Amino acid sequence: MASTLTGPLGPGAWTTGPVADMFSSYVAASALSAAHELGLLDQLAADGSAALRGSPGDGLDANVVQHIYRALSWAQIVVIEDGGSVKPGPQFDAAYAARGYFYWLVRGCGQLFAVTPELAWEQRRQGNFYERDMRAVAVGSRLIGDAEVERMFDKMIATRPVRKVVDLGCGSAHRLIRIAHDHPGIRGIGIDISGDAVRLASEAVAEAGIGHQISIRHADARRLEPAPEYSDTDTLTCVFMGHDFWPFTDCVRTLRGLQLAFPRAQRLLLCDVARTTEPPRPDATAIFTLGFESVHALMGVYVPTLAEWHEAFRASGWNCEGVYPTEAPPNGFLFELTPAGPAETP
Ligand SMILES: C[S@@+](CC[C@H](N)C(=O)[O-])C[C@H]1O[C@@H](n2cnc3c(N)ncnc32)[C@H](O)[C@@H]1O
């Protein structure tokens, strides 16, 4: 097979342009994620300027800091000024708003992309065949939810009295902490399967000084049994993890099981990103979609479509009282669910 390099396409046709930009985008995306973790974005947002090579005593390598800013300047997120300072560029506000998506992608899930060829071999897809940084996934998810989802939750919690809430896949526990802070009478339990997320959540609860209101448990939300501390729960929340209940039969079993483990739960507020049904297109695919769907394909986690979610609710005895689409994340939906009847043994 003749290489295109020996054909009509000379290097001048691709060393700049869309394919070259794709290469630089990867570097800029990594820099954005790093700039978030290192506090450089927050510093720029707060102060409006920063030193290109970092500040004395910050403990950061000057060349690495400069590389991060140079990559961000390529993406117009910062502008490098004569004299060695940096200020926010024309894309700064958008990049700052989207920082959670980049942190989730690069720091949380980046390893998956590096080893994609290994993950492609069926025989290697056994046991714990991939790694993610679940602390970064939890932090990224918190930032992703901040734009829109959290306000929706605050409204939903305010519309009906809540005494005890259990957050399934609580991640950093930020939602529980906020709810507990806003409603001192509410008690809460956060449940997460990841040791890293449980540590992060426990630290955050301790730091917020609300250990008397919130407890964190290390458990699999798909296998919860009735327990005294669950018996008075009236509200269940589950954000950006419902797809982990799937495939369909497992999801139906888990959703039914929740009614048994939480017999007094009157509402399940489930928010998740659904799988798109159109092929990705440069002019139409919004942020997150391609990354979210790729990451879950690499991990072998099924992501249901909106229609499949509705089927699962019908089959598991949950009435869907409302569906609220989100713009950020794109193709996200908050489902307001109530038990259709008394819980049945799955
Ligand atoms: C994308 S993060 C979302 C975190 C949080 N709900 C939020 O809104 O920011 C998904 C979380 O669900 C947790 N998780 C995944 N499967 C789970 C399961 N079967 N049981 C409990 N937690 C689970 C993960 O460890 C991770 O912390």
Side-chain angles (χ1 to χ4, degrees):
M1 194 175 75
S3 158
T4 50
L5 290 178
T6 59
L9 199 60
W14 51 266
T15 52
T16 57
V19 169
D21 287 352
M22 204 168 81
F23 184 94
S24 300
S25 295
Y26 181 87
V27 180
S30 305
L32 183 53
S33 168
H36 163 64
E37 180 171 325
L38 295 172
L40 303 178
L41 290 182
D42 283 339
Q43 186 193 355
L44 271 176
D47 302 344
S49 76
L52 176 61
R53 292 176 59 77
S55 314
D58 64 10
L60 301 177
D61 181 273
N63 287 330
V64 174
V65 174
Q66 181 170 343
H67 141 69
I68 291 172
Y69 284 135
R70 276 171 51 83
L72 295 181
S73 77
W74 174 84
Q76 301 186 316
I77 295 167
V78 302
V79 173
I80 298 175
E81 303 203 291
D82 296 341
S85 66
V86 172
K87 65 174 193 181
Q91 300 304 327
F92 183 84
D93 287 348
Y96 191 78
R99 67 199 185 288
Y101 294 89
F102 288 86
Y103 195 59
W104 174 89
L105 182 72
V106 176
R107 183 60 142 164
C109 308
Q111 176 72 358
L112 291 168
F113 294 107
V115 301
T116 295
E118 289 165 34
L119 300 181
W121 293 104
E122 279 179 350
Q123 68 204 37
R124 299 205 186 173
R125 296 173 73 78
Q126 314 284 339
N128 298 326
F129 63 90
Y130 61 84
E131 277 177 31
R132 286 203 298 169
D133 179 333
M134 292 310 291
R135 189 179 176 99
V137 166
V139 170
S141 297
R142 170 172 65 75
L143 293 168
I144 289 171
D146 270 354
E148 193 178 346
V149 171
E150 296 308 328
R151 265 179 286 124
M152 294 165 87
F153 266 85
D154 287 346
K155 267 196 207 157
M156 301 282 251
I157 295 288
T159 56
R160 270 171 65 174
V162 174
R163 288 174 57 189
K164 189 163 192 178
V165 56
V166 170
D167 193 23
L168 306 168
C170 65
S172 66
H174 60 283
R175 184 168 315 100
L176 281 176
I177 292 171
R178 194 186 60 254
I179 292 172
H181 181 265
D182 293 349
H183 307 272
I186 291 181
R187 297 285 176 271
I189 301 175
I191 292 176
D192 206 287
I193 200 171
S194 150
D196 283 343
V198 166
R199 271 185 290 282
L200 176 67
S202 304
E203 286 162 21
V205 168
E207 199 175 311
I210 49 164
H212 58 290
Q213 269 179 281
I214 305 291
S215 63
I216 304 295
R217 299 188 66 165
H218 192 190
D220 185 341
R222 295 166 300 185
R223 291 178 175 75
L224 296 175
E225 300 284 338
E229 61 272 32
Y230 297 156
S231 61
D232 55 348
T233 302
D234 49 46
T235 305
L236 297 170
T237 53
C238 180
V239 180
F240 302 153
M241 76 142 289
H243 51 275
D244 288 301
F245 294 160
W246 286 71
F248 183 81
T249 317
D250 295 352
C251 178
V252 169
R253 190 179 54 235
T254 295
L255 289 175
R256 282 192 192 148
L258 292 177
Q259 294 193 13
L260 292 174
F262 303 97
R264 294 206 177 82
Q266 291 158 19
R267 267 200 308 180
L268 165 58
L269 302 175
L270 190 149
C271 180
D272 208 0
V273 173
R275 181 160 49 87
T276 52
T277 48
E278 296 294 314
R281 284 206 336 248
D283 56 340
T285 301
I287 194 165
F288 201 47
T289 302
L290 193 53
F292 178 74
E293 294 182 7
S294 300
V295 159
H296 289 89
L298 293 173
M299 297 190 300
V301 175
Y302 187 82
V303 176
T305 61
L306 179 60
E308 288 171 327
W309 268 120
H310 282 293
E311 227 180 294
F313 299 145
R314 275 193 297 274
S316 60
W318 288 92
N319 286 333
C320 187
E321 308 284 346
V323 185
Y324 309 94
T326 68
E327 207 178 341
N331 219 38
F333 298 93
L334 171 55
F335 303 103
E336 185 176 16
L337 306 164
T338 56
E344 286 169 31
T345 308

